[in-house]
Structures are given as C-alpha cells and as structure tokens.
Amino acid sequence: MFLGLQVEQLSTAFFTPREQFHAVSNVSFNLNKGEVLGLVGESACGKSITALSLLRLLPPGARIVSGRVHLNGTDLLALNQHEMRNLRGKGLACIFQDPHTALNPVRSIGVQFIETLKDRLGLNRDEAVAMAVNMLDRLGLPVPEKVMRQYPFQLSGGMKQRVIIALALCLQPEILIADEPTTALDVTVQAQVLWELNRLKKELGAGILLISHNMGVIAGMADRVAVMYGGTIVESGPVKSVFTRPAHPYTRGLLGSIPRLDQKNKRLCFIRGQPPGLAELNRLKEGCVFSPRCDLATAHCCNHPVPSVQVSSPGEEIHTAACHRVTAGGVASIYTCCREDHE
C-alpha cells in the first residue's frame, strides 16, 4: 500500500448549461510522507483548483469528472461528505491562499481555534488554548493571548495568514496542502513559516504539497517539483534536476525570468502572451496548451497529443517533460526565451 497521496489522471471541469470547461486535465503525481512536492506555475494555471479538488471543496459549478485520489490507500473520491469531513484536518489539511475568506468574520480567533482543535484532536478547552497560543507565538505574532481575543477584521492580512498557518500546523496532518503560504509576509516571517513547515515534515513525517510562485522557496524547500500550465503538468522531477536542467520551454521561460546575481548584465527573459482562459483551453485540448506562446511551436504541436518524455539518465530519479520538441535525455532544441535573441 502506498503511504502518502496518490493522484492519477485527475480532471476537474466547470459546467455551464451549454458547455463544460476543463480547469484541470489528467494531472498525476505522488506525494510521499516526509516529502515536499513543489507545484509551480503562473496564476490561472490550475494549481489552486487542483488543491480544492483533492480536498473536495470545489466552488459551485465545478466537479471532478475523472481520475483517482488515494490517501494511504483510501479512495477519497469514494467517500461520502461526512467521511470526507472527518478526514479533513488530521488526514488532509490546507493552508488556503486567501486569509480574508478562510476565517469566520463574526467569531474570534480563539473561538475558531478552540472549536477546531476540540473537534479534530479531542482536546479540552485549556489544552486547545495552550496549543494555539504556543503556535501563534512560534509564528511571530506579538502577544498571542491578545490575538486569541481579536476578530479577523482587527488583524492585518499578514497576521491573518499566520493565524491560518498556525491552525493548520496545530492539526499535525499527514498531508498538508500549502497554497501560497508565504504570500503577504515579510522575509523574516517567511523564514519562521518555512522553518515550521520543515519541522512538520521532519519530526512528524508529513507530506507537503507546496504551491508557490516563489521559485526561491521551492528551490530551498521542495524535494521534487511539478510545473503546471493550462491545467496540466508539463514537467516534473527532482528539484535540482528541474532547476539546473529544465527541459520544457515553459519551465525554461519561468526560470529565465528570475534575476540572478551572477548575470547582472544580462536582460531578463520573458514569455510572450498570457496564460489561456478556460474557453481557450477547450480549443487547445487536441494539442500542446503552451503552443500559442512557444517559440518552437509547429502545426504538429497544435494538433497532436503531447507525449511525456523521460529526460533523466538511467539510474537517476525520474525527470519528465511533456513536449514534442523534447527528446529522451535532452531538452527542447534551440529554445530561448529572450525576445532580444529573436529581434
């Protein structure tokens, strides 16, 4: 039995009276216990919808249309709502991206902590308060006893973000989905948050799905990384291999847009255009979803299913990329993401 989170060919769509729009298409990955998997990509590429699909907390009009999701051998898509609710928190927890909507605005922080910890961990009121105050203090919130008496509107965005992180960490889940956990936090608080996530991984053996735009955070925290674009995984592998030998044109464009101290006189790269909307994804479903923005795209790329090619050498951890221009053991040929090289 696989211990951790196993996702196979997961697809999620939004439905209208006339059409369905696929926001996530055939996403597959494994997240072992005691491992950090980084999920990266631009906004609107499907990262948060993937997380909500795993939790079965999709917004109205959206539903999972195919695939399998297993946690320690349990099929999450086969559970009823009551069983799924009991599993959330201790088995599968989430740090949501938007702290303003994740907290109940008419209940104090302390009440929300106490209710959650009593329900999920079976603690009494005093034990729940002690655990909450301790975790809030560890995440750098000043006077945590005062924070427990306050309401969400009395806290800044960064403070609310730390409250959500503290609540998730108190539950000590087997798998934690962290959706942009360091957003709106200054660098010193970011370091505290990442330290606590690392402690959760090392001391409790938790698996962490770390969703982030911050490639530095991913490079420092993740064991493996999956690059997402247009609702699909376009490249995945060990973090060192993906960062040092990116194979997919999209991955190379993302990494090429990051300032580097050793390349101070080199212009930053950029990827032309914008990520596709749901309607455009429907039109691109026959071929590569990145083809409208790719310098290497041909008619073949636009009209044929994209193969997943293993680019790692024999004996190395598996590193794959979904691109017609990638060859086994190689990268997308002659690719450059810098516009100045084409002008």
Side-chain angles (χ1 to χ4, degrees), residues 211-248:
I211 301 172
S212 180
H213 293 103
N214 191 326
M215 303 297 270
V217 169
I218 295 296
M221 280 286 296
D223 301 295
R224 292 185 297 114
V225 61
V227 182
M228 197 168 196
Y229 182 83
T232 65
I233 302 294
V234 297
E235 184 165 1
S236 64
V239 66
K240 183 177 180 180
S241 177
V242 172
F243 273 62
T244 58
R245 292 182 295 149
H248 195 280

Side-chain angles (χ1 to χ4, degrees), residues 49-128:
I49 291 297
T50 299
L52 294 175
S53 299
L54 301 178
L55 293 159
R56 288 177 53 186
L57 291 175
L58 290 166
R63 68 172 181 264
I64 297 171
V65 294
S66 63
R68 301 172 61 193
V69 181
H70 287 81
L71 177 61
N72 299 333
T74 301
D75 186 355
L76 301 188
L77 303 187
L79 300 179
N80 60 40
Q81 288 296 331
H82 178 72
E83 293 169 331
M84 191 66 199
R85 181 183 179 278
N86 288 336
L87 183 139
R88 294 188 196 109
K90 187 64 177 173
L92 186 64
C94 183
I95 299 170
F96 291 100
Q97 184 175 359
D98 186 1
H100 304 288
T101 58
L103 294 169
N104 190 327
V106 298
R107 290 184 172 235
S108 69
I109 301 301
V111 168
Q112 296 184 60
F113 263 96
I114 292 167
E115 285 185 348
T116 303
L117 298 183
K118 287 174 67 176
D119 181 57
R120 290 289 176 255
L121 302 183
L123 305 181
N124 59 41
R125 187 183 187 283
D126 291 341
E127 291 171 334

Side-chain angles (χ1 to χ4, degrees), residues 19 21 29 39 44 59 65 151 157 161 207 276 285 291 294 316 321 331:
E19 198 172 358
F21 300 92
F29 60 83
L39 186 60
V65 294
Y151 289 80
Q161 182 76 1
K285 61 184 177 182
S291 58
C294 182
E316 295 181 333
V331 299

Side-chain angles (χ1 to χ4, degrees), residues 2-8 27-41 47 54 70 175-176 178 198 201 206-212 214-228 233 235-244 251 255 312 316-320:
F2 181 82
L3 294 179
L5 184 65
Q6 193 172 30
V7 181
E8 299 177 5
V27 167
S28 299
F29 60 83
N30 290 338
L31 174 56
N32 301 298
K33 296 187 71 173
E35 177 185 53
V36 177
L37 172 64
L39 186 60
V40 301
K47 304 186 300 297
L54 301 178
H70 287 81
I175 299 292
L176 175 64
N198 200 42
K201 164 194 166 183
I208 300 174
L209 178 61
L210 180 59
I211 301 172
S212 180
N214 191 326
M215 303 297 270
V217 169
I218 295 296
M221 280 286 296
D223 301 295
R224 292 185 297 114
V225 61
V227 182
M228 197 168 196
I233 302 294
E235 184 165 1
S236 64
V239 66
K240 183 177 180 180
S241 177
V242 172
F243 273 62
T244 58
T251 309
L255 294 174
S312 50
E316 295 181 333
E317 289 187 68
I318 295 176
H319 176 182
T320 62

Side-chain angles (χ1 to χ4, degrees), residues 12 16 19 22 35-36 68 81 91 94 128 131 142 145 147 165 171 183 194 200 209 218 222 232 237 263 307 323 338:
T12 299
T16 68
E19 198 172 358
H22 282 259
E35 177 185 53
V36 177
R68 301 172 61 193
Q81 288 296 331
C94 183
M131 177 178 282
E145 295 84 359
V147 173
I165 295 169
L171 297 174
T183 298
L194 295 177
L200 184 71
L209 178 61
I218 295 296
T232 65
Q263 298 179 356
C323 178
C338 291

